[in-house]
Amino acid sequence: MPRTSSKLSPSHRTERVGELIRQAIAEILTRGDVHDPTLDRRPVTIPVVRMSPDLKLATVTVMPLGGQNGDATVQALNRNKKELRALVAHRINLKFAPDLRFTFDSSFDAQARIDALLKSPEVARDLGGGETGNKDET
């Protein structure tokens, strides 16, 4: 029976390689090995790196400190992705150096939107109404 890769969750190997790449990029940016004025002025957090199943593509989500100027940071990283790829390849021993794609991490915005919805008066009323209910019916 042939092996199928229809799993929706990433394999342990892709997660492990993604974490190694995340650590390498974070170290490169922290040390200032990439010389770009946009990146020099902004500390960048890298929450997660998602790897393709063949380990040839790494999607790196980034979040600048404070969430300000995310587009400029992503553009600066994309401008320097060739240099970043070479630096990552020197730090991590893989058969192929993965191609890097940088995206802005919008999970913090989604979390803030959900928090605002949960704190809205309509939701609070619905949650509070279910506990008190009508006591005359019993």
Side-chain angles (χ1 to χ4, degrees):
M1 235 175 142
R3 288 172 92 178
T4 59
S5 60
S6 63
K7 292 193 278 185
L8 296 176
S9 64
S11 71
H12 182 66
R13 180 168 170 74
T14 58
E15 289 178 346
R16 213 176 32 190
V17 172
E19 181 60 21
L20 287 172
I21 291 173
R22 186 191 72 77
Q23 291 174 356
I25 293 173
E27 180 184 341
I28 289 165
L29 294 176
T30 301
R31 292 175 51 126
D33 292 343
V34 177
H35 303 291
D36 189 298
T38 305
L39 297 175
D40 289 342
R41 291 181 268 132
R42 292 191 183 100
V44 177
T45 301
I46 302 172
V48 68
V49 175
R50 289 186 185 86
M51 297 297 299
S52 65
D54 62 358
L55 301 177
K56 291 188 178 183
L57 175 65
T59 304
V60 183
T61 57
V62 297
M63 174 64 114
L65 186 65
Q68 302 295 326
N69 302 321
D71 292 335
T73 303
V74 169
Q75 288 173 0
L77 289 168
N78 281 322
R79 274 194 312 267
N80 296 297
K81 72 178 172 179
K82 198 174 205 180
E83 183 181 356
L84 281 165
R85 181 181 182 192
L87 291 169
V88 167
H90 288 292
R91 284 181 169 75
I92 299 175
N93 186 17
L94 292 172
K95 187 173 184 177
F96 299 102
D99 186 30
L100 302 176
R101 291 186 184 169
F102 294 95
T103 61
F104 182 72
D105 185 19
S106 61
S107 64
F108 294 106
D109 295 336
Q111 183 177 357
R113 191 173 64 247
I114 289 171
D115 286 343
L117 282 172
L118 290 174
K119 291 178 183 176
S120 70
E122 294 84 11
V123 173
R125 182 191 64 220
D126 290 345
L127 291 175
E131 294 174 0
T132 57
N134 266 344
K135 295 184 180 180
D136 294 336
E137 292 177 5
T138 56

